[in-house]
Amino acid sequence: MIDRDSLLSRPFDVVEHAYTAKDCSLFALGVGLGGDPMATAELQAIFERADGFAPLPAMVNVLSYPGFWAMEPDTGLTWQKILHGEQSLTIHNPIPQEGVILGETKIVDIIDKGADKGALIYTDRKLSDKATGLPIATVSSTTFARADGGFGGPTGPVKPIHALPDRAPDTHHDFKTSPRSALIYRLSGDFNPLHADPAVAQAVGFERPILHGLCTMAVASWSLPMALRQGDFSALTHMQQRFSAPVYPGETIRTEIWEDGDTVSFRARVLERDVVVLNNGLAHLS
């Protein structure tokens, strides 16, 4: 059972993550960029000699990751029934092309939805540049612990869900993922066999390995500036969304977009199955 006070005070080691331009390129290739050798706009995230070469904003999701700490026995969590519910990123300063990032993780709240409804665990990870001390990004996650409600904790406040506009999207951007995307994306740090081994995927009810949810988020982080800022992904300073369904590598992700002044709303669906895979999205672009 969850001991709320113990989890809220749980210490996490500061994680040092050294990376190079090669790691930035590998991340972008895992997202699926580079499928068309003539798509020069994509070179800014892949080719270290390109004008404006920089890491994709969504790379902060894999920097200084503390590991799957919920598996540790003293957490009181039923890790086998945990789902990744929501993710957000906020960029404070440009992500260096290479260097060492320090990551400090903290559990900021735990909400008790009830014995038969599970628990929500809110986590923040603050990233900074070791060389300069500059804050780089804040990465926030909502973990849905389906089997761990009813521990006597508070029932709120729950993070508000961003409501999408009640009209047709203003525009969209389609992105064809690669059948190899999950196998490449995992090399950036998420080695869950669910994304590589057909037997593991089928054992939990999927017909084949699925794409990482954070990879789907990274596709949207590329599609938004492609649709709205002529591919200048440095314009993206914040994005958040809920994960609503998995993607199979090779499927086409359509990011549907609404613009209302400074507020950009979005969701993503798989065209081949007409399934919404990211929902209630909110983004800020400079």
Side-chain angles (χ1 to χ4, degrees), residues 1 11 13 25 38 42 48 60 64 92 100 124 136 147-148 152 207 221 228 240 244 272:
M1 179 178 289
D13 292 335
S25 299
M38 299 303 291
E42 299 181 9
E48 69 281 357
V60 298
S64 299
H92 307 303
V100 178
D124 284 351
I136 298 299
D148 298 305
E207 62 182 70
S221 81
L228 303 176
Q240 65 186 62
S244 52
E272 289 83 353

Side-chain angles (χ1 to χ4, degrees), residues 10-128:
R10 184 178 185 81
F12 289 86
D13 292 335
V14 174
V15 177
E16 289 197 13
H17 189 147
Y19 67 96
T20 66
K22 179 179 178 180
D23 298 303
C24 300
S25 299
L26 181 64
F27 179 82
L29 290 169
V31 173
L33 274 64
D36 178 0
M38 299 303 291
T40 55
E42 299 181 9
L43 292 180
Q44 61 183 316
I46 300 170
F47 184 42
E48 69 281 357
R49 296 183 189 174
D51 264 355
F53 174 76
L56 285 174
M59 188 171 171
V60 298
N61 285 326
V62 302
L63 293 177
S64 299
Y65 177 59
F68 191 33
W69 55 267
M71 287 185 66
E72 297 171 14
D74 63 336
T75 64
L77 296 169
T78 309
W79 64 267
Q80 299 90 338
K81 294 189 176 182
I82 280 179
L83 296 176
H84 193 172
E86 300 165 328
Q87 184 87 354
S88 74
L89 62 86
T90 302
I91 306 295
H92 307 303
N93 282 291
I95 309 165
Q97 295 179 12
E98 59 183 19
V100 178
I101 296 294
L102 303 179
E104 299 182 61
T105 297
K106 180 175 177 56
I107 300 171
V108 295
D109 207 356
I110 307 169
I111 304 300
D112 191 348
K113 294 174 63 68
D116 57 344
K117 296 181 179 179
L120 299 175
I121 303 172
Y122 297 131
T123 308
D124 284 351
R125 184 163 84 253
K126 296 185 182 300
L127 304 178
S128 61

Side-chain angles (χ1 to χ4, degrees), residues 268-281:
R269 70 172 67 245
V270 163
L271 293 185
E272 289 83 353
R273 292 180 286 125
D274 193 27
V275 173
V276 175
V277 294
L278 300 177
N279 212 349
N280 305 105

Side-chain angles (χ1 to χ4, degrees), residues 168-246:
D170 300 320
T171 188
H172 69 267
H173 183 267
D174 292 347
F175 188 93
K176 177 75 171 176
T177 64
S178 165
R180 298 189 296 173
S181 281
L183 292 172
I184 301 173
Y185 186 89
R186 66 187 296 273
L187 300 178
S188 290
D190 187 340
F191 299 107
N192 188 331
L194 175 64
H195 306 294
D197 189 334
V200 172
Q202 290 166 1
V204 296
F206 298 111
E207 62 182 70
R208 59 186 188 273
I210 62 173
L211 196 62
H212 305 69
L214 290 179
C215 185
T216 303
M217 179 183 181
V219 168
S221 81
W222 170 256
S223 290
L224 288 165
M226 281 297 290
L228 303 176
R229 296 294 186 272
Q230 296 79 48
D232 179 12
F233 58 75
S234 68
L236 182 69
T237 59
H238 176 80
M239 70 180 297
Q240 65 186 62
Q241 78 285 304
R242 308 182 82 188
F243 299 106
S244 52

